[in-house]
Every structure is written in C-alpha cells, then in structure tokens.
Amino acid sequence: MSNPRLLESTSPYLQAHADNPVEWYAWNDEALSRARDEDRPILLSIGYAACHWCHVMARESFSDPEIAAVMNRHFVNIKVDREERPDLDKTFQTAHALLNQRGGGWPLTAFLNPDDLTPFFIGTYFPAKPRFGMPGFADLLERVHSVYREKRDQTREQGMAVHRALSATPPGGADLPRVSIAHAARARLDGALDDKHGGLGGAPKFPQLPMLDFLLDEAAARGDDGQGPLDHAVAALLDGGLFDHLDGGIFRYCVDADWTIPHFEKMLVDNAQLPDTLSRFAVLGGESDGRRAVIESLLERSIDHFLERMRLADGTFAASLDADTQGEEGATYLWKPDEAREVLELAGLDADTIEGFLGEYGLDHPANFEGKWHLAAVRRARSVEQVRPLAEPLRRALLARRDARPQPKRDDKSLLGLNALLATGFLRAGNRLGRDDWTTKGLDLLDRLVPAATAVADLPTGYLDGRPSVPAFLDDLALLLEAQTEAFFRVPDAERLARIEEIIGTITERFTDGSGAFRLSHAGHGAPVAGLVVFTDDAQPAGNAVLADVLTRLGYALGRTDWLDIAEAIFKAAAGSIERAPQAHTRLLAALRRFHQPATVVVIKAREMTAWQTAIATLRRRGITVIASGSDDLLPDKPLPQGGSGLAYICRGTACLPPEADPDQLLLQFA
C-alpha cells in the first residue's frame, strides 16, 4: 500500500518513495514527535528527483523488505527533497564535512539524536551489500542502533559539538574587507584552470558557473577580452559531453576530466545561470562577431528547445530532468552508429555529411558509455570561436528520433529562487545580445512568479500543481530581488520599485542575524539550526552574496545609503569566512569589488525615448546599467527636462558628470 504521508507531499521526489516498504515521513512535527516519544534515532535521507545514486540506493535498499524492516524497527525514517528544504540540506551537508573532513553529496544519509536533532553519524550512498570498501546498509543500521543504545552520552556529545559549530555566529571583522582579497581568490582559481581540458578542477568536472562568472568579472575589470584559459573554459562547456548538442542545455557534471561523459540529470539550477554566463562572455572585451555567433546559436538551442521542454502549465519552469530513463542511466541520450546513420539517411542527408558527423562526434571510435555512444566532439575547441554547433538538419533529424524514445521523468516542482535566477538570465542575455524576445521572456516569467496581488511575505519556496511548499528561504528572496532589480533597470516604474522595497523589507524582518548578515531560514521553517548563515557559493551563489551585490547596485544607482549600509554589514560579517577561503566566496567578492569600485550607471530622463534607443541598446550590450525613464517620480534628483530631447546623467558611485543632451556624444564618452 502506498504511503499517504508521501503521496500528499509537494515533492515528486518524496512521492516516488511512497511505495517503499520503509515507513517514511516528511520532515514535520509528527515525525519529530514520534522520534522523541519513542526514543528512536532519526534516519534522515536527503536527495532529489534527478539524482542517479539516490535511485540506486532506493532500488537496492529502500525497496528491500528486509532492509526496510530493520529501518522501521530501529528508526524514525524521514525523507527530504534537498531542493525543497535547502536549509536542512545545507545544515547536514556542513555537518558531514565537519564529521568526516570531506565533502558530502547525495543521497545524504544522516542519523540524528531525537531530542535535539543533532547528527551523530553521517554518510552518503551505502550499498545494500558490502562493496566499494563500505559496509552493507543493513549491517550499518544494526551498528548505528547499537551505538545509539550503548553509547548515548557519546552520541549526544558529538551531536552537540556539531550543533555548536553550525550555529556559531560568523566571526566577522570590524573592518570592511579590502578589494585586494579578490586578487587572492582570482590567483587560486587561475591556478585551478585546466589547461589541457578546459574548465576548473579535475574529475568529476562541474561547470562551476559562479566561479566562472567571477573570473569573467575580474577579466572585465582588467579590460581583458578573456582569450586563453577563460576562452578555453567556456568552450569546454559547449563542445564536449556536458552540453546537449541536440536539445541544448547542460547536464549536471561530467564524471571525467575531459568533459566526455556526464551524469545525465539536467538541473534548472545550472541551466538558469547559463544565459547570464554565456552572454557575459560574449561581450567581454568588446563584441566579437565569431564569439557572439556561436554563443547566440547555442543559447537559442538551450532557451528555445531545452527550456521550453521544462516549461510548466503556469509559465514557470520545472526543477530537473532525471538522470535515468526507466531505471537506466542516460538511456534517452545514447546512440549506436547504425541508428544514427539510418536516421540521417532517412532525412535525406548525403553520405559525406553523415560520415563527417559520425567522425566528428566519435561514433567511428569505440563506444564511450556502456556499449553505446554519448555525443561529444572528438577534436575539442580551445576557444569559443572554434566551436562548431551541430548543423540544423542533423540536429532536427536526430532529435526527432530521440524524442520518440522513452523520456526521463521531469520534476515538476516550480521553485521560486531558481525561476528568479532564470528570469535574471533572460533579462541579462537579452540586454547584452540585443534580444528583445529573451528580455520579454524574463519579464513575463518574473510577473508569473509574483503576481501583482501576491504579498512577498506569503511566497513559498515552490509549488507543485498549484500547492505551496514551505515558506521561501533567504536565497529565494535574494534571487527574486535580483530579478526584480534587473527588470527595474530595464523597465523602471514605481510599482517595480515598490516590490523591490517590499522584498528588502521582508528579508530584513524575517532573516536578520546578529552578525549583520542574514540567516538561510527563519523560525517558521522548523530547521534544527535556524541561525545558519551561509556566505559560500554552491551550484548557485549564496543568498547573502546576492543580497549584498544587489543592494550595492541599487544603493549606488538610486542613492539609497540605507541599502549600502546593509551590504556593508554583510561584507563585514563575512570577513573571517572570506579570509579563510576566498575562492569559495566568488559572488561575494564580485559584490565587494562593486562596492569599492562602483559600476557606471547611466540615467536617461526624456519624455520621448526614440532618439536615445540606439545609445541605450549599445550601452546595455556593453554591460552598462541604463535606467531610462520619462517620469519625475523616479530619481527626482535627476529632473526630467522641460524641453529638448532629454538628458543623460553618467554616474559612478555617488558622483555624476554634467548631464549630456546628445545621444551620440553620450556614446563617445564610452568609446
């Protein structure tokens, strides 16, 4: 019989475990009370719908009646979706690092004391039978149960030590960190760039988009055009097996150092950042026609194909596509040479084109994944201009065949923060590349996320089929603030500004920490460490970092010193954390540079904008913020002229140049 507790969940990941013989609970008062009342430790399993090894552990252990019987006899079992409860995931991933002195991952398997919810043992995937140098899961369960019964004082002492470390106030500094700390981070990341294969680090190889964005920002600050290792890093994302050459979008990561074989899940968290990162590189150091053509072509593939596949009925976007299809990893994406040749022959392509494709994508080489072939260019480009997007006739024919196969499951959660991140990407890519259609997508998505009648304080972290999940977290609201800010800079109006003020007010009211920074969650979330403050980036930038960055930009652009004060307090609170590992704080350091070295903002006040359109589009393509308004209600310190074609105010930080009345002369000042 299916477990009604999980079937009623707003997480497809939890729903997928409803048929397990394990007596699963969601994280809620009922489960926590039962653990306390019966004095049972909690077995906490954290994963997500697209996770391959989560599926493996579910098949091997959670579906096994004998193993489930041990779990049910000794533990209260709680299943958590990491995308729905990032506070719990961040808490116990950090605990894993503290207890094991190494990073964790998914599935995360934690055992908690029931009275204070502190962890006393944590691991990740455990096999059902002993292998990989690990014990079998059933044996492990018995051992953990014995430790809990026989060594209670030790389990409590260890759990409390972890809790103290997690809930400690960040050791901030009295002084604002200097911008020179960014140089240390850049030096470390430059040293991690892989000259042979491109990208950052070794296997497993992740796209590391927040780190890549930081390096692109640093290159822009130096006036560098990004040729060399940065160009190679971006090319590697697009040319190998990480990028889906048929449908667009990137997979979560590659298992090898040379970007050939991915884990096949596709996550919105990565693909939401791709438009911003790629368009940022497209305009780095001035426009390059070859670089822009490649990036725009591949962004179109991701936006018009993969992301449209992820669009939900309400116009927002789903969280992920599974790594597995019908229990087989990557099955949807793999080819055999004879099938590919047959498809292309039926499409009417000539023999030279077909054989050229087979050779270029390795189908004339030995199979690269379990007897089949995943498409990845054999001869890898070292620069984006050398990347050759798959020709449309080939792509369409192969994708049509692939679409006829069984497809991976889609996690239909609509997550507030990730959709806001995507809206920002649409807006920035649209501005930089002059794609008004992408800008329109961003504005439309943002307004669907937060309808006019919805109060920010009432927003959940996500929805499933219209049912709300738990209240929004700091990261959700920080990313929403960033998207609303990008929209305001594009289409400034009083209503958008009021929404921005509402978001900032909600954050400061609910998430303020005594350190001057902000907590990931608030008391209403019921997390064991409600005061967890996070500064480091993960797959997405940290909420505190995004907040500091956006408040810096808004504060200088709108003359809001109160918002600059909040940003400064975050930087000071993070000073100790930054000092220990500057390369882990890339978004915060990019924000710190903008705080110390404010970006140029151009405010154009005109009753009629026609004469200014070319200048506006050109400056936005160069990454310069332009606020164009025909209202005296916005930025009243920069008045709307009574006659003439308008005035442009060029401002940097708290200083502005004399206003310019000629659009051509305005552009000359940026030549």
Side-chain angles (χ1 to χ4, degrees):
M1 181 180 294
S2 295
N3 182 337
R5 291 188 293 264
L6 297 195
L7 286 178
E8 295 166 2
S9 168
T10 52
S11 163
Y13 174 64
L14 267 62
Q15 291 179 359
H17 288 78
D19 291 332
N20 292 164
V22 179
E23 296 175 9
W24 289 115
Y25 288 82
W27 182 278
N28 55 34
D29 289 341
E30 179 187 6
L32 304 182
S33 296
R34 182 183 175 194
R36 287 192 299 268
D37 294 345
E38 298 181 7
D39 189 26
R40 292 200 205 187
I42 292 168
L43 192 166
L44 177 66
S45 176
I46 303 178
Y48 59 100
C51 168
H52 170 68
W53 285 101
C54 299
H55 299 328
V56 173
M57 194 165 179
R59 287 195 300 268
E60 290 180 346
S61 294
F62 303 149
S63 298
D64 184 304
E66 294 183 3
I67 293 177
V70 179
M71 294 173 66
N72 297 336
R73 183 164 60 250
H74 294 322
F75 304 95
V76 171
N77 305 292
I78 297 180
K79 177 62 74 172
V80 165
D81 183 336
R82 64 171 286 255
E83 295 177 321
E84 193 173 53
R85 292 303 305 257
D87 55 334
L88 299 176
D89 183 54
K90 180 64 73 172
T91 294
F92 293 109
Q93 292 288 351
T94 306
H96 181 284
L98 290 169
L99 287 172
N100 298 303
Q101 297 300 300
R102 64 178 186 276
W106 300 276
L108 191 75
T109 308
F111 296 89
L112 316 181
N113 291 299
D115 48 355
D116 56 15
L117 306 181
T118 57
F120 62 90
F121 181 81
I122 304 183
T124 53
Y125 162 81
F126 291 100
K129 305 294 183 184
R131 58 177 177 154
F132 309 135
M134 292 185 286
F137 194 50
D139 292 339
L140 176 71
L141 295 172
E142 295 288 2
R143 286 159 55 183
V144 170
H145 170 69
S146 296
V147 167
Y148 179 76
R149 291 298 171 201
E150 297 167 10
K151 300 179 179 180
R152 298 291 291 276
D153 290 343
Q154 291 181 359
T155 63
R156 285 196 172 91
E157 182 179 342
Q158 180 160 286
M160 287 308 300
V162 173
H163 187 274
R164 286 193 295 271
L166 290 172
S167 57
T169 299
D175 298 325
L176 181 69
R178 292 176 293 180
V179 75
S180 58
I181 193 71
H183 304 328
R186 187 180 75 222
R188 294 188 188 185
L189 293 176
D190 282 344
L193 286 166
D194 182 349
D195 181 64
K196 183 177 182 180
H197 301 299
L200 285 152
K205 205 74 162 281
F206 288 81
Q208 304 286 15
L209 295 178
M211 290 183 179
L212 191 54
D213 285 345
F214 169 74
L215 290 175
L216 294 175
D217 273 353
E218 288 291 293
R222 300 192 305 271
D224 188 348
D225 65 359
Q227 292 188 16
L230 272 180
D231 201 353
H232 190 194
V234 178
L237 300 183
L238 303 175
D239 209 28
L242 188 78
F243 188 80
D244 184 344
H245 297 280
L246 301 185
D247 203 30
I250 56 176
F251 298 101
R252 181 71 191 94
Y253 66 96
C254 282
V255 300
D256 43 42
D258 65 356
W259 300 106
T260 298
I261 300 300
H263 254 321
F264 288 91
E265 64 262 42
K266 281 187 178 180
M267 312 293 294
L268 187 59
V269 65
D270 304 304
N271 288 284
Q273 296 174 78
L274 204 59
D276 184 11
T277 301
L278 293 183
S279 64
R280 189 188 301 249
F281 185 66
V283 300
L284 184 64
E287 292 192 42
S288 162
D289 290 342
R291 179 185 289 179
R292 171 176 169 148
V294 170
I295 284 177
E296 189 167 357
S297 171
L298 295 180
L299 266 183
E300 282 180 344
R301 199 158 291 179
S302 293
I303 291 171
D304 296 342
H305 296 281
F306 164 66
L307 284 171
E308 283 305 308
R309 194 180 295 272
M310 301 293 283
R311 186 184 290 273
L312 299 168
D314 66 356
T316 64
F317 292 82
S320 65
L321 286 180
D322 206 326
D324 296 3
T325 301
Q326 297 180 339
E328 182 179 345
E329 185 182 9
T332 295
Y333 302 99
L334 301 174
W335 293 88
K336 288 191 173 180
D338 289 347
E339 181 190 12
R341 184 179 285 107
E342 175 197 6
V343 168
L344 298 178
E345 287 173 350
L346 289 172
L349 296 169
D350 62 82
D352 288 345
T353 299
I354 294 171
E355 295 307 315
F357 161 75
L358 296 176
E360 187 172 351
Y361 286 88
L363 277 79
D364 61 350
H365 287 54
N368 58 20
F369 187 81
E370 298 181 0
K372 294 185 179 180
W373 283 254
H374 173 59
L375 299 183
V378 174
R379 290 170 291 280
R380 302 291 173 79
R382 292 188 65 88
S383 73
V384 169
E385 289 195 36
Q386 295 172 354
V387 174
R388 292 189 296 173
L390 189 62
E392 275 299 297
L394 289 159
R395 189 194 71 81
R396 285 195 301 269
L398 292 167
L399 184 60
R401 172 63 65 90
R402 201 179 81 180
D403 281 347
R405 300 171 180 168
Q407 298 296 305
K409 291 181 179 178
R410 191 177 74 175
D411 182 336
D412 282 351
K413 291 193 310 291
S414 174
L415 294 169
L416 174 63
L418 297 189
N419 274 276
L421 190 60
L422 179 57
T424 296
F426 283 151
L427 290 164
R428 289 180 175 168
N431 282 341
R432 291 176 184 139
L433 301 181
R435 291 292 300 261
D436 289 343
D437 54 334
W438 294 350
T439 302
T440 299
K441 282 179 182 286
L443 293 170
D444 176 71
L445 174 56
L446 189 53
D447 291 338
R448 289 175 183 273
L449 275 179
V450 190
T454 302
V456 169
D458 295 333
L459 290 173
T461 192
Y463 290 92
L464 180 67
D465 299 328
R467 293 183 294 129
S469 182
V470 297
F473 295 92
L474 171 66
D475 290 9
D476 298 318
L477 296 182
L479 291 168
L480 179 62
L481 176 64
E482 182 172 42
Q484 291 285 7
T485 298
E486 289 297 329
F488 175 78
F489 287 155
R490 177 71 189 205
V491 187
D493 61 57
E495 289 183 6
R496 190 79 67 182
L497 183 57
R499 184 65 90 176
I500 286 170
E501 292 174 334
E502 183 187 5
I503 297 169
I504 296 171
T506 301
I507 289 172
T508 55
E509 178 184 341
R510 292 191 171 186
F511 297 92
T512 298
D513 181 75
S515 67
F518 294 85
R519 299 188 295 267
L520 176 60
S521 60
H522 57 68
H525 288 109
V529 183
L532 193 66
V533 176
V534 180
F535 297 118
T536 55
D537 301 324
D538 201 334
Q540 68 188 59
N544 272 296
V546 174
L547 183 59
D549 200 6
V550 177
L551 291 176
T552 294
R553 296 178 66 211
L554 282 169
Y556 283 127
L558 303 181
R560 291 292 299 262
T561 57
D562 55 334
W563 293 348
L564 291 171
D565 289 343
I566 297 172
E568 184 174 2
I570 295 172
F571 295 131
K572 288 181 177 179
S577 184
I578 294 172
E579 189 69 34
R580 288 191 297 275
Q583 75 281 2
H585 299 75
T586 50
R587 181 59 182 276
L588 199 58
L589 290 178
L592 182 65
R593 180 181 288 283
R594 282 187 269 275
F595 190 87
H596 282 293
Q597 300 170 0
T600 298
V601 176
V602 177
V603 177
I604 298 175
K605 285 294 199 68
R607 299 184 186 281
E608 172 53 55
M609 289 291 173
T610 303
W612 296 91
Q613 290 303 323
T614 298
I616 292 170
T618 301
L619 294 175
R620 284 176 172 161
R621 283 199 301 273
R622 296 178 184 175
I624 296 168
T625 297
V626 180
I627 304 175
S629 173
S631 169
D632 263 333
D633 295 334
L634 290 174
L635 300 167
D637 60 317
K638 298 173 178 63
L640 187 67
Q642 296 303 310
S645 62
L647 291 174
Y649 301 83
I650 304 173
C651 302
R652 190 181 183 92
T654 58
C656 296
L657 298 176
E660 176 59 63
D662 185 338
D664 294 331
Q665 291 299 314
L666 171 64
L667 285 177
L668 286 175
Q669 297 193 45
F670 294 90

